[in-house]
Amino acid sequence: IKMKKKHVSRKLKSAWRKHVDISDVDQFLEEQRQEERIGSIDDKTNDELFEVDSTPIPKNKQRKLTKQAYRKQLQESIPATFSALENTSKVADPITKRNHVRTKAERKHFIAESKELKRNELGIVRKRVIEAAAQRKANKKKKVQERKLSNIKFGNDLWSDKDPIPDELKSEWYTHETVLHHLKNTGNPLVKTNQITHTKTSKLKAIEKPHPGISYNPTENDHKDLLNKVVEKEVKIIEKEKHLDRCVTAKLSKMSQAEKEKLSYEEMIEGLPIDENDLDSDGSNEDDDNDEYKPLNAPVRNKKKDKKARRKKKLAQIREGRKIVLEKEMKKLKDIEKVPTFNKEIKKIEQHLKKQKKNRVKRLKEKKITPHRLAQERFVEPEIEFNENLADNLRTLKPEGSIVLDRFKSLQKRNIIAPTNRNSAKLNKSKLRIKKKLFKRNSHKDQDMQM
């Protein structure tokens, strides 16, 4: 325990401040200054100090303001950011003659103010006041319209074919990357989209009307029509399978393993010398033939032609040339006689080309309706789900189909998403897996060698 000194020096003011306790005096003075700033309780009225609450508050419940009352309270209250600027002091200004900018109401003369009050009581309003109010209203409306229009920019025509690149940038000295960089940083970026984004992938309707025979209460004709469609579809599938069996499966002969081995053996020994006697006779004949030397190119003598032979050759060439010219002229005469046949052939070709053009247009139209092959799997039309025996009432009706599946198949049919199959997806994943290669490190190899 620290003992307090009994006898201390009080010679100087610093000793008095150090050893004399004046905290109670400081606290009293601080309270007095606080009262001067915000005012004492004696100066305030009862309405400022107390509030009469006439509504009863139940126990364990706190009174809550409504949303409208809370918003109104927020609007009337001063924001917390401006609370530091508010003067809460009650101390009078020590400088009585301080420069102060008077408001418009303070500058108004008291006689003019009294006259204006009398006019307002009688309902008399000056013309310039009415005009000023109308002008303020018009200016306010104009500003609102300008603010709305400022957000909308009509400077660029989205559908114009005009080149967005300015003329000053169309120079061989500017690269394409430089032009794009300049336009991007000047507020006019050149955005190019793929042409496929502006064209529809398919002309099929997003929502197709279902067949009326699928209804839970169809007519007799609609139900029969639906049954006929399902039967036709099944018949086509069966005919296709029969066609494949007839054209492919039946033509491929089935062989046992022994027959396959025998056939492969015969193919392998094809052309090989098997008989030894034949080999000996062939070898002896080859030896006999090889005894006599025969050159590949026989010697040719350079025999010069005389004048008669050269003249004959020249005349033969002239006759050959005349013959060729005569044949060409005769062909022209024959072609002139064949003009009607040529016209018929040309007409046939034109008709064939027209037919091809019609078929091409037809194929293009069908292509816009039929689903394309976007991935490995082809689009398969979903089977028509229906009840062969109609239900008597809705309670015994069995619900069929799914809205989610129907929308999913519609997206696939309209070439928006690629058709997939779970089994094929699993196979593709297994194909993409990379096999790990195992090998021994050099350090381990050295240890094995040492051991």
Side-chain angles (χ1 to χ4, degrees), residues 5-45:
K5 291 181 180 181
K6 291 183 178 180
H7 303 286
V8 290
S9 175
R10 295 185 182 178
K11 184 179 179 182
L12 301 173
K13 284 185 178 181
S14 59
W16 278 84
R17 291 194 194 98
K18 186 176 179 181
H19 301 296
V20 176
D21 184 17
I22 55 169
S23 57
D24 54 346
V25 178
D26 289 338
Q27 188 179 355
F28 170 74
L29 292 172
E30 187 63 34
E31 288 175 359
Q32 195 175 8
R33 284 192 289 269
Q34 181 73 8
E35 286 180 0
E36 286 178 0
R37 283 199 300 274
I38 63 172
S40 62
I41 297 171
D42 299 334
D43 298 336
K44 291 184 179 180
T45 59

Side-chain angles (χ1 to χ4, degrees), residues 250-289:
K251 289 184 178 180
L252 296 172
S253 59
K254 294 180 180 179
M255 297 173 67
S256 63
Q257 189 66 26
E259 289 177 348
K260 283 181 183 178
E261 289 176 359
K262 186 180 178 183
L263 185 65
S264 63
Y265 177 73
E266 288 176 357
E267 288 177 353
M268 289 171 72
I269 64 172
E270 187 75 29
L272 294 174
I274 298 169
D275 195 357
E276 295 179 357
N277 297 323
D278 294 339
L279 280 170
D280 296 336
S281 62
D282 292 335
S284 62
N285 291 331
E286 286 176 2
D287 294 338
D288 297 336
D289 294 333

Side-chain angles (χ1 to χ4, degrees), residues 368-384:
K368 289 178 181 178
I369 298 168
T370 54
H372 302 164
R373 186 165 183 175
L374 303 177
Q376 187 179 2
E377 297 293 327
R378 289 180 182 273
F379 174 74
V380 180
E381 195 76 31
E383 294 182 1
I384 301 167

Side-chain angles (χ1 to χ4, degrees), residues 84-240:
L85 302 174
E86 190 180 359
N87 186 16
T88 57
S89 178
K90 300 290 182 180
V91 181
D93 192 355
I95 302 170
T96 54
K97 293 183 179 181
R98 190 182 290 278
N99 290 334
H100 174 64
V101 179
R102 294 187 297 170
T103 60
K104 193 175 181 182
E106 289 174 351
R107 288 199 302 271
K108 195 178 285 186
H109 200 270
F110 67 95
I111 297 171
E113 194 175 353
S114 61
K115 285 181 179 179
E116 192 175 348
L117 288 170
K118 285 178 183 179
R119 284 198 205 96
N120 292 336
E121 286 173 1
L122 296 170
I124 300 166
V125 184
R126 289 187 179 182
K127 187 180 178 181
R128 60 187 180 84
V129 175
I130 296 167
E131 288 177 355
Q135 188 66 31
R136 281 196 298 273
K137 193 176 180 181
N139 289 338
K140 191 176 181 182
K141 193 175 180 182
K142 189 178 178 181
K143 282 181 180 179
V144 171
Q145 288 178 351
E146 286 176 356
R147 200 181 299 114
K148 285 180 180 178
L149 292 171
S150 64
N151 296 330
I152 305 167
K153 294 181 180 179
F154 295 100
N156 299 327
D157 188 5
L158 299 174
W159 291 270
S160 67
D161 297 331
K162 190 179 176 182
D163 194 1
I165 301 170
D167 295 333
E168 57 266 17
L169 292 175
K170 291 178 181 178
S171 174
E172 60 182 2
W173 299 101
Y174 297 123
T175 61
H176 185 63
E177 289 77 10
T178 308
V179 173
L180 292 175
H181 178 76
H182 177 76
L183 291 172
K184 183 182 177 182
N185 289 285
T186 52
N188 299 312
L190 185 66
V191 181
K192 280 193 176 184
T193 55
N194 197 348
Q195 192 63 28
I196 198 168
T197 57
H198 304 290
T199 56
K200 284 191 174 182
T201 54
S202 177
K203 285 197 171 183
L204 289 169
K205 291 182 179 179
I207 300 170
E208 294 178 350
K209 290 182 180 179
H211 195 277
I214 303 172
S215 174
Y216 65 89
N217 188 19
T219 60
E220 188 178 353
N221 293 330
D222 292 337
H223 189 64
K224 285 180 179 178
D225 187 23
L226 182 64
L227 287 172
N228 291 331
K229 279 191 175 182
V230 174
V231 170
E232 286 175 6
K233 191 176 179 182
E234 291 294 328
V235 166
K236 282 182 181 178
I237 293 166
I238 293 164
E239 285 179 355
K240 192 176 180 182

Side-chain angles (χ1 to χ4, degrees), residues 279-385:
L279 280 170
D280 296 336
S281 62
D282 292 335
S284 62
N285 291 331
E286 286 176 2
D287 294 338
D288 297 336
D289 294 333
N290 289 333
D291 293 341
E292 188 180 350
Y293 174 74
K294 288 182 180 180
L296 294 172
N297 297 321
V300 179
R301 289 179 67 185
N302 187 8
K303 190 179 178 181
K304 298 256 182 169
K305 290 182 180 180
D306 55 354
K307 280 187 177 182
K308 189 178 179 181
R310 286 200 295 271
R311 188 174 64 251
K312 281 184 179 180
K313 187 180 178 182
K314 193 173 182 180
L315 289 170
Q317 287 176 352
I318 291 166
R319 280 196 300 271
E320 190 69 27
R322 285 175 183 173
K323 189 180 177 182
I324 291 166
V325 172
L326 185 64
E327 285 177 356
K328 285 182 180 178
E329 292 297 327
M330 291 298 291
K331 191 176 181 298
K332 286 179 183 178
L333 292 171
K334 286 179 181 178
D335 289 344
I336 290 166
E337 292 175 358
K338 288 182 179 179
V339 167
T341 56
F342 288 155
N343 288 333
K344 286 181 182 179
E345 287 177 3
I346 289 164
K347 283 181 181 178
K348 281 183 181 179
I349 293 164
E350 285 178 353
Q351 287 176 0
H352 181 65
L353 290 172
K354 282 182 181 178
K355 195 176 180 181
Q356 278 185 339
K357 192 176 180 181
K358 283 182 181 178
N359 291 336
R360 199 182 300 116
V361 172
K362 190 178 178 181
R363 281 198 304 272
L364 286 171
K365 286 181 179 178
E366 288 176 356
K367 194 177 180 182
K368 289 178 181 178
I369 298 168
T370 54
H372 302 164
R373 186 165 183 175
L374 303 177
Q376 187 179 2
E377 297 293 327
R378 289 180 182 273
F379 174 74
V380 180
E381 195 76 31
E383 294 182 1
I384 301 167
E385 296 180 358

Side-chain angles (χ1 to χ4, degrees), residues 393-398:
N393 51 30
L394 291 174
R395 289 183 180 179
T396 58
L397 183 69
K398 184 183 176 183

